[in-house]
């Protein structure tokens, strides 16, 4: 009896220890994932890639959360750009600025256009992926809303792997209009 009891307790303790380590590792991964979702201009591209990886792994819940946060952040950046553009256009039109200030504002307009283009692309990608995940969950209203946002923020393309074509195809599928768009 003693020969059986000692190995049994060793196995039981080992199983308990392995279970504890596994759950601790899972908690750490969850914490790291939540912390890495602090989005700014420096890491928006990395966060987008991380969210795409989560989607590839089939972790739809985490991927959706990441894409929604990316989408929200990028939309806020675009709204900020619009407000700043409006104010700077008013300042340029007023004629109250000296030549140096006008030149600085005109230089910033060019840089802002590149920034706006980049963030529109981020919005389109994140919106498409949100729409894709909602379509997988059979939430057609949310999927349509995000897919329309993706279309609004991307240019026409006939390349099969473009966000535009993917969004159109998925919208058509959702609405039962495949081949019509």
């Amino acid at each position: 009896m003693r020969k059986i009891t000692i190995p049994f307790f060793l196995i039981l303790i080992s199983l308990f220890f392995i279970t504890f380590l596994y759950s601790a590792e899972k908690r750490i991964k969850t914490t790291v994932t939540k912390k890495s979702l602090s989005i700014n201009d420096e890491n928006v591209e990395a966060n987008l890639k991380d969210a795409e990886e989560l989607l590839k792994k089939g972790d739809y819940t985490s991927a959706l959360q990441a894409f929604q946060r990316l989408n929200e952040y990028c939309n806020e950046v675009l709204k900020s750009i619009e407000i700043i553009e409006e104010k700077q256009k008013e300042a340029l039109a007023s004629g109250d600025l000296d030549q140096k200030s006008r030149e600085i504002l005109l230089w910033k307009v060019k840089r802002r256009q590149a920034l706006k283009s980049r963030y529109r692309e981020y919005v389109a990608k994140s919106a498409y992926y949100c729409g894709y995940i909602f379509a997988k969950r059979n939430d057609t209203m949310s999927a349509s809303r995000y897919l329309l946002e993706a279309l609004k923020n991307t240019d026409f393309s006939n390349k099969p792997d473009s966000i535009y074509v993917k969004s159109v195809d998925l919208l058509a599928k959702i609405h039962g209009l495949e081949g019509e768009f």
Side-chain angles (χ1 to χ4, degrees), residues 118-152:
R118 192 173 86 216
Y119 273 89
R120 281 185 66 222
E121 183 179 324
Y122 294 149
V123 167
K125 281 183 181 180
S126 61
Y128 166 73
Y129 286 121
C130 287
Y132 174 82
I133 293 169
F134 278 119
K136 285 281 190 194
R137 292 179 167 184
N138 293 323
D139 184 349
T140 57
M141 293 301 287
S142 297
S144 294
R145 182 173 52 92
Y146 278 108
L147 292 169
L148 289 172
E149 182 181 3
L151 287 173
K152 186 174 102 176

Side-chain angles (χ1 to χ4, degrees), residues 8-86:
F8 176 73
F9 281 121
L10 288 175
I11 291 172
L12 189 63
I13 291 170
S14 297
L15 286 173
F16 176 74
F17 186 67
I18 290 171
T19 305
F20 177 75
L21 287 177
Y22 177 75
S23 65
E25 180 182 344
K26 201 170 187 177
R27 283 191 304 265
I28 289 170
K29 283 183 181 179
T30 303
T31 304
V32 169
T33 303
K34 287 180 182 175
K35 285 182 182 176
S36 69
L37 287 178
S38 176
I39 302 169
N40 58 42
D41 188 58
E42 293 175 355
N43 67 14
V44 68
E45 191 78 36
N47 277 300
L48 187 60
K49 287 184 188 329
D50 290 346
E52 288 172 350
E53 286 300 315
L54 288 170
L55 184 61
K56 286 178 187 174
K57 290 178 183 175
D59 187 355
Y60 292 119
T61 303
S62 297
L64 180 61
Q65 290 172 350
F67 285 124
Q68 285 177 320
R69 289 195 62 198
L70 278 162
N71 186 271
E72 185 178 318
Y73 168 76
C74 294
N75 274 318
E76 288 298 317
V77 169
L78 287 174
K79 285 177 189 173
S80 300
I81 290 171
E82 287 175 19
I83 291 168
I84 291 166
E85 276 182 336
E86 185 180 312

